[in-house]
Amino acid sequence: MNAILGFTQVLERDRELDTRHREHLAIIDRSGQHLLGLINDVLDLSQVDADQVALTKEWTPLREIVDAAVVAVRPLFDSKGLYLREEMDEDLVAFCDPTRIRQVLLNLLSNAGRFTKRGGVYLRAWQEEGSLMVSIADTGPGIAPQDLGRLFQPFQQIDGSIRRRYGGTGLGLCISKRFIELHEGDIWVESEEDVGTTFSFRIPVA
């Protein structure tokens, strides 16, 4: 898949291509990126299930992890006119795998941005009784109580129209849950229909 995407990008730089061909290449690139994301999600899930994920923990400022995740999702929020606000202490640090925690934040922020049509997302982080706490609250449509229990199961989405309307594989939350549990932490969700949804997680600071 990386080879296909690489050749696509090479062709896109060909100045002799006309507009129609460039549009077709853009479609191939978008579809390839979507499929690559699905492949990576399945690989991540299979590695966790097989106990083959080794965390690389180091003392990391949370600000570095948050900034990297926010930069990645900012275009999505800007394209929809949504706000993305943060409230966190600048001196927050944790002994964690920064790559895995960044992936959790990316999954949660991307989901919040995709499902929210108006308003935006509020990210809050703080330390509490030896744990690093993070919450991501959106002003999206909310989730019915009977659907909350399915969110962290693999390939699960609220209904069949969700994937068609918003995209996604139904693996992001499941993988996020596994990564947080590997850090000996917890992740949970609170939601009210027509008001919004808040995903929260905690991991030990040390």
Side-chain angles (χ1 to χ4, degrees), residues 73-84 109-121 138-141 165-167:
V73 301
R74 180 67 71 181
L76 169 63
F77 282 74
D78 290 346
S79 68
K80 300 179 68 175
L82 303 173
Y83 63 76
L84 176 52
L109 289 171
S110 296
N111 282 348
R114 289 207 323 270
F115 289 104
T116 301
K117 293 183 178 180
R118 294 180 298 275
V121 173
D138 66 49
T139 57
R165 190 184 314 163
Y166 298 104

Side-chain angles (χ1 to χ4, degrees), residues 26 66 72 98 100 148:
V66 169
R100 301 306 186 184
L148 290 175

Side-chain angles (χ1 to χ4, degrees), residues 22-107:
R22 292 186 182 280
E23 291 174 349
H24 291 168
L25 285 172
I27 293 172
I28 294 172
D29 186 67
R30 286 196 303 269
S31 299
Q33 294 289 352
H34 176 77
L35 183 55
L36 183 61
L38 174 59
I39 292 169
N40 287 334
D41 284 347
V42 171
L43 289 175
D44 281 339
L45 185 61
S46 64
Q47 287 178 335
V48 172
D49 285 342
D51 293 327
Q52 293 180 346
V53 173
L55 298 182
T56 304
K57 290 186 175 184
E58 57 188 69
W59 285 104
T60 308
L62 184 64
R63 167 54 63 188
E64 293 181 4
I65 302 175
V66 169
D67 284 349
V70 167
V71 166
V73 301
R74 180 67 71 181
L76 169 63
F77 282 74
D78 290 346
S79 68
K80 300 179 68 175
L82 303 173
Y83 63 76
L84 176 52
R85 298 170 183 163
E86 307 166 31
E87 178 186 344
M88 58 182 294
D89 296 330
E90 295 300 319
D91 59 352
L92 289 176
V93 296
F95 191 64
C96 66
D97 185 327
T99 299
R100 301 306 186 184
I101 298 301
R102 182 174 65 249
Q103 188 170 349
V104 171
L105 286 174
L106 273 171
N107 286 335

Side-chain angles (χ1 to χ4, degrees), residues 133-191:
M133 313 288 293
V134 178
S135 68
I136 295 173
D138 66 49
T139 57
I143 303 168
Q146 65 270 21
D147 293 322
L148 290 175
R150 300 167 49 199
L151 289 178
F152 294 105
Q153 298 176 19
F155 300 105
Q156 290 293 315
Q157 291 178 322
I158 296 173
D159 61 54
S161 65
I162 291 293
R163 184 171 295 146
R164 291 191 298 271
R165 190 184 314 163
Y166 298 104
T169 63
L171 287 173
L173 289 178
C174 176
I175 293 171
S176 297
K177 183 175 187 291
R178 306 290 179 88
F179 285 161
I180 293 299
E181 290 174 345
L182 284 172
H183 281 82
E184 300 180 14
D186 301 296
I187 186 169
W188 64 95
V189 59
E190 301 168 280
S191 187

